[in-house]
Amino acid sequence: MLSQFTTTLSLLALASALPSTLSPKKSPAIPLVFDGRVPKAATGATFDAGLLPYNAKYDLGANLTWSDVLLFPKVQTSLFDNSSTKAVEVTIDDRAIFTPSPTNVQAGFRRNELLPQPANATYATTGIKTLHFSLQPDSHRRLNYSHEYQLVWLESQDYSADQFSLNVGTIFGTKEAHPKRLQLRGTSHASPQQTLWSAPFEEGVWHNLALVLDFNKNALKVYYSRECEKLEAVTGFIPNDLSNLGQYHFGILKKPTGQNLTDITRQGYQEKGVHEGIVYGGILEEDSKGGSLSIAPGKSVKY
Ligand SMILES: *[C@@H]1O[C@H](CO)[C@@H](O)[C@H](O)[C@H]1NC(C)=O
Ligand SMILES: *[C@@H]1O[C@H](CO)[C@@H](O)[C@H](O)[C@H]1NC(C)=O
Ligand SMILES: *[C@@H]1O[C@H](CO)[C@@H](O)[C@H](O)[C@H]1NC(C)=O
Ligand SMILES: *[C@@H]1O[C@H](CO)[C@@H](O)[C@H](O)[C@H]1NC(C)=O
Ligand SMILES: *[C@@H]1O[C@H](CO)[C@@H](O)[C@H](O)[C@H]1NC(C)=O
């Protein structure tokens, strides 16, 4: 009896050690287009040295390095991170003035953003892809919700537009009764941008998003959850112009306030002495041409 019992136990142990591909309950892995999860050992210098799949030099304020800008706060592991990866915080201060050329000092903005590499990646902005990320505010580096912030977006390759943008705060030129909300903004084949989906942006909580981006049909679908809950669809497919390839941004672009501005990249009001940050986790992109996306590690659904 005893030996039978131990045999059953060791069979169970063997079964759980088998590769997941042999286990009928697990969904097949969805191939990744890029994996932007940050290894536990990474520091700002790892980003500066270009050792991670992010641009080593852009988009940063003039004369800044990733070592100046990135922090690695001890927060809970995000939905798609694991014991060998960690969260990364992108911060801005008064120095975060992007200066792409000596005659183009973008003093209207404060901005530092991680750009997944390689840039101009047609493979990341064609077909059907699912962009995953988690984010949360930092209660020690609060944003000023009187301003508009872009936190995650796709910018077309000619820099003429953002195909979509996850924002928080007061959209420039509007009045916002509840500015502490995430707003996914897109074109919906209309200009200017419209809000496609929205949720409160609470402190101390991971907000997980997955955007199924159908570049063939120019449509997107939003999945969302909090903390380590599995993702759930919060929209259907929404028509949205995704054409013109481009570059993903993960970080802070803080717009100015002010009236009658003709060029908000260089004009408008930015208060002095800011120390603001947003924490990111689990940045990755799946190739969803097979019809599925992951809603938790090892769990997928048809979109
Ligand atoms: C960056 O450094 C250069 C050279 O020291 C300086 O002229 C410029 O003003 C700095 N830019 C900013 C935005 O601080
Ligand atoms: C954690 O995620 C990393 C990055 O994708 C992956 O390479 C690694 O295998 C994962 N580790 C575990 C223990 O699942
Ligand atoms: C990006 O890739 C497209 C398509 O291959 C190409 O036409 C374009 O010139 C590239 N743009 C840049 C800025 O490299
Ligand atoms: C927040 O932004 C508004 C609008 O620019 C500004 O008037 C206010 O002083 C800022 N608040 C803080 C605490 O800096
Ligand atoms: C902006 O323009 C409007 C209309 O021309 C004008 O009434 C208003 O005073 C202007 N505001 C500022 C701050 O210049």
Side-chain angles (χ1 to χ4, degrees), residues 152-289:
V152 177
W153 66 103
L154 176 61
E155 181 180 25
S156 68
Q157 65 171 337
D158 59 5
Y159 312 122
S160 67
D162 298 331
Q163 289 99 325
F164 66 80
S165 170
L166 184 68
N167 288 43
V168 75
T170 305
I171 302 302
F172 182 84
T174 71
K175 289 198 165 57
E176 201 77 64
H178 303 286
K180 272 176 110 165
R181 292 181 73 82
L182 292 170
Q183 294 193 43
L184 184 75
R185 309 212 0 118
T187 59
S188 263
H189 289 309
S191 183
Q193 284 194 326
Q194 310 174 351
T195 298
L196 309 178
W197 169 85
S198 162
F201 194 39
E202 257 181 74
E203 282 177 8
V205 173
W206 278 118
H207 301 267
N208 314 306
L209 278 105
L211 305 177
V212 184
L213 303 168
D214 188 335
F215 295 95
N216 301 326
K217 292 190 180 148
N218 282 316
L220 63 79
K221 179 170 178 174
V222 186
Y223 287 74
Y224 173 74
S225 72
R226 292 156 56 99
E227 298 290 71
C228 277
E229 298 289 314
K230 64 182 182 351
L231 294 163
E232 284 183 17
V234 287
T235 70
F237 272 99
I238 306 169
N240 192 85
D241 190 351
L242 295 172
S243 62
N244 211 356
L245 304 172
Q247 171 74 65
Y248 296 104
H249 295 243
F250 293 88
I252 298 179
L253 187 157
K254 181 184 188 181
K255 294 186 182 172
T257 54
Q259 288 180 324
N260 304 345
L261 308 182
T262 52
D263 178 3
I264 63 166
T265 70
R266 300 177 209 212
Q267 303 168 342
Y269 178 73
Q270 291 280 0
E271 64 275 11
K272 299 267 188 307
V274 301
H275 294 282
E276 302 178 354
I278 292 288
V279 186
Y280 296 83
I283 297 172
L284 54 93
E285 190 176 47
E286 295 178 315
D287 190 343
S288 286
K289 67 170 181 253

Side-chain angles (χ1 to χ4, degrees), residues 61-63 95 97 99 105:
N63 308 331
R95 301 172 297 170
I97 298 177
T99 305
V105 180

Side-chain angles (χ1 to χ4, degrees), residues 32 35 37 80-85 284:
L32 293 185
D35 189 346
R37 285 174 287 193
F80 283 98
D81 275 304
N82 64 35
S83 59
S84 60
T85 63
L284 54 93

Side-chain angles (χ1 to χ4, degrees), residues 1-78:
M1 283 298 278
L2 186 64
S3 67
Q4 249 181 357
F5 184 62
T6 46
T7 306
T8 312
L9 271 186
S10 51
L11 275 177
L12 278 174
L14 181 66
S16 62
L18 283 174
S20 56
T21 45
L22 295 184
S23 158
K25 282 199 179 133
K26 276 213 169 170
S27 10
I30 301 173
L32 293 185
V33 178
F34 67 75
D35 189 346
R37 285 174 287 193
V38 178
K40 266 264 151 73
T43 64
T46 319
F47 286 81
D48 287 325
L51 298 176
L52 296 173
Y54 292 101
N55 193 304
K57 302 238 183 276
Y58 294 96
D59 279 348
L60 281 164
N63 308 331
L64 293 179
T65 65
W66 292 115
S67 301
D68 298 323
V69 160
L70 299 180
L71 299 172
F72 301 95
K74 287 190 171 50
V75 291
Q76 287 222 304
T77 306
S78 78

